[in-house]
């Protein structure tokens, strides 16, 4: 059982978002003679600048999983690790981090430990750019990038914008991918000149809507995982539709809920999903709700009742 549950935990559910991200990434890098994407960012021959990508979505839309899976599946982008090899640095901005602190985190991750506490933020970012080139990093992914723009003591929104721009202007060429909630776009766009915003393409993650290709892919992923686990999904109970409705089509949350429902059935030795069990799983992380999408009644009846009380997609 433990092997199956471990498999379920790491199983990635592929959606149409993957294809969109791959298409955007293709635009950021040089192409080889065979027409394949290389790890070398495209550099503007007139300005020496590279371009960036902004991945936007609500909390729970699956930004982090999408980026990590796509980058790790890439034949040319290799994550920079503790062995100091790889060409792609993936870093997550802690909520409390200032712009200077983020620079220090990047320096530490790339092996530079002796950081003077008196170092100015701008100088720290100069060191970051130098360090990236020295260790061979050609792609930087900054997840939860919106945290760079929080207000409060020691915060510097203009400094955050300048730091992102500095990476794109660095000598040698580094592609920059930033991910965050939709307000990240507004923060970058607030720069009066608009110089930083124009350097980014945008990929907005949308919800999985009913009766779409992505909804069909979700149902396929659910069935395939259930099949490996030896769990039957009653066709008449519309489990994929109910799960998507439960979290309004937010990919990350819907996948997590589906996996928890499958995990519950597996650990309790059941050979089929049940609405009653799914209802209990949902309520454990959503306390205080009345009727849920897993109410034991025909799905269309339940959906109409939920929509009537404001629970829409």
């Amino acid at each position: 059982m433990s092997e199956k549950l471990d498999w379920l935990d790491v199983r990635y559910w592929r959606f149409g978002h993957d294809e969109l991200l791959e298409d955007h990434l293709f635009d950021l890098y040089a192409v080889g003679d065979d027409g394949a994407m290389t790890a070398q960012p495209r550099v503007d021959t007139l300005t020496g600048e590279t371009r960036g990508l902004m991945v936007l979505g609500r909390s729970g839309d699956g930004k982090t999983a999408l980026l990590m899976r796509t980058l790790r599946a890439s034949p040319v982008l290799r994550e920079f690790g503790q062995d100091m090899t790889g060409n792609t640095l993936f870093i997550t901005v802690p909520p409390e981090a200032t712009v200077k602190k983020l620079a220090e985190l990047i320096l530490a991750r790339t092996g530079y430990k002796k950081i003077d506490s008196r170092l100015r933020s701008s100088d720290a970012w100069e060191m970051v750019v130098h360090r990236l080139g020295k260790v061979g990093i050609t792609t930087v992914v900054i997840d939860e990038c919106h945290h760079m723009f929080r207000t409060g003591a020691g915060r510097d929104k203009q400094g955050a914008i300048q730091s992102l721009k500095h990476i794109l202007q660095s000598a040698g060429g580094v592609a920059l991918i930033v991910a965050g909630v939709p307000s990240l776009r507004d923060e970058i766009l607030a720069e009066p000149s608009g110089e930083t915003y124009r350097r980014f393409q945008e990929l907005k993650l949308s919800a999985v809507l009913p009766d779409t290709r992505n909804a069909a892919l979700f149902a396929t992923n659910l069935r395939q995982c259930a099949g490996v686990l030896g769990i039957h999904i009653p066709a008449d109970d519309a489990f994929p539709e109910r799960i998507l409705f439960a979290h309004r089509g937010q990919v990350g949350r819907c996948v997590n809920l589906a996996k928890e429902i499958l995990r519950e059935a597996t650990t309790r030795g059941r050979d089929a999903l049940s609405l009653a069990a799914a209802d209990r799983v949902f309520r454990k992380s959503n306390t205080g709700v009345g009727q849920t999408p897993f109410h034991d009644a025909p799905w269309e009846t339940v959906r109409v009742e939920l929509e009537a009380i404001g629970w829409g997609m």
Side-chain angles (χ1 to χ4, degrees):
M1 178 188 298
S2 61
E3 290 183 1
K4 288 186 176 181
L5 293 176
D6 290 342
W7 173 86
L8 179 65
D9 285 340
V10 300
R11 175 72 176 180
Y12 179 76
W13 294 25
R14 189 177 176 90
F15 293 90
H17 292 158
D18 304 80
E19 297 167 359
L20 292 173
L21 177 56
E22 290 165 5
D23 184 57
H24 278 283
L25 289 178
F26 190 85
D27 293 338
L28 298 185
Y29 298 90
V31 178
D33 293 336
D34 58 355
M37 184 186 96
T38 70
Q40 180 59 46
R42 289 172 55 189
V43 178
D44 189 305
T45 55
L46 296 178
T47 65
E49 297 179 1
T50 54
R51 292 189 60 80
L53 173 63
M54 193 183 309
V55 180
L56 303 172
R58 300 165 295 172
S59 175
D61 275 342
K63 300 181 296 296
T64 301
L66 172 66
L67 283 168
M68 294 184 71
R69 169 61 172 76
T70 300
L71 292 172
R72 289 173 179 173
S74 170
V76 295
L77 302 179
R78 295 173 289 104
E79 188 172 4
F80 188 85
Q82 293 182 347
D83 60 354
M84 298 291 133
T85 64
N87 55 28
T88 302
L89 178 66
F90 193 109
I91 192 159
T92 301
V93 183
E96 70 281 0
T98 61
V99 176
K100 180 184 176 183
K101 181 61 177 178
L102 178 60
E104 293 173 349
L105 289 174
I106 294 175
L107 289 171
R109 281 279 304 276
T110 54
Y112 191 91
K113 307 294 185 181
K114 300 178 181 179
I115 303 172
D116 190 336
S117 60
R118 297 169 295 179
L119 190 68
R120 295 184 306 172
S121 179
S122 58
D123 293 334
W125 280 95
E126 287 285 351
M127 294 173 63
V128 165
V129 170
H130 174 75
R131 191 68 186 169
L132 295 177
K134 186 171 183 178
V135 299
I137 291 173
T138 56
T139 299
V140 173
V141 183
I142 303 178
D143 196 17
E144 305 289 350
C145 188
H146 53 275
H147 289 321
M148 293 178 66
F149 295 89
R150 292 173 64 133
T151 58
R155 301 288 180 170
D156 181 7
K157 290 189 176 184
Q158 188 58 39
I161 292 176
Q162 291 299 321
S163 300
L164 299 180
K165 185 192 302 182
H166 197 48
I167 292 177
L168 295 171
Q169 293 175 326
S170 61
V174 174
L176 176 61
I177 302 168
V178 298
V181 298
S183 64
L184 173 62
R185 176 185 185 273
D186 300 330
E187 296 288 1
I188 296 176
L189 191 57
E191 182 186 29
S193 67
E195 291 181 359
T196 305
Y197 175 76
R198 68 175 175 81
R199 290 173 167 85
F200 284 93
Q201 294 184 15
E202 283 184 37
L203 172 57
K204 298 178 181 177
L205 301 187
S206 58
V208 179
L209 299 176
D211 303 319
T212 61
R213 176 175 176 269
N214 285 355
L217 287 172
F218 181 86
T220 298
N221 281 311
L222 179 63
R223 287 194 299 269
Q224 289 179 341
C225 286
V228 171
L229 298 172
I231 298 173
H232 171 66
I233 301 178
D236 294 339
D237 285 341
F239 268 95
E241 291 82 356
R242 292 175 191 256
I243 294 172
L244 288 173
F245 194 91
H247 285 305
R248 295 171 174 82
Q250 288 189 262
V251 172
R253 291 183 177 179
C254 292
V255 171
N256 287 339
L257 176 58
K259 287 186 174 183
E260 283 302 310
I261 291 172
L262 291 172
R263 170 179 283 274
E264 191 271 350
T266 302
T267 56
R268 285 161 176 75
R270 300 192 181 98
D271 58 6
L273 296 185
S274 75
L275 292 174
D279 185 81
R280 288 194 298 273
V281 170
F282 182 75
R283 290 180 185 278
K284 287 177 182 178
S285 55
N286 296 271
T287 58
V289 297
Q291 182 172 314
T292 80
F294 304 101
H295 179 64
D296 193 359
W299 169 234
E300 283 305 309
T301 301
V302 175
R303 181 183 61 80
V304 170
E305 292 174 350
L306 291 174
E307 289 178 343
I309 59 175
W311 195 337
M313 287 289 285

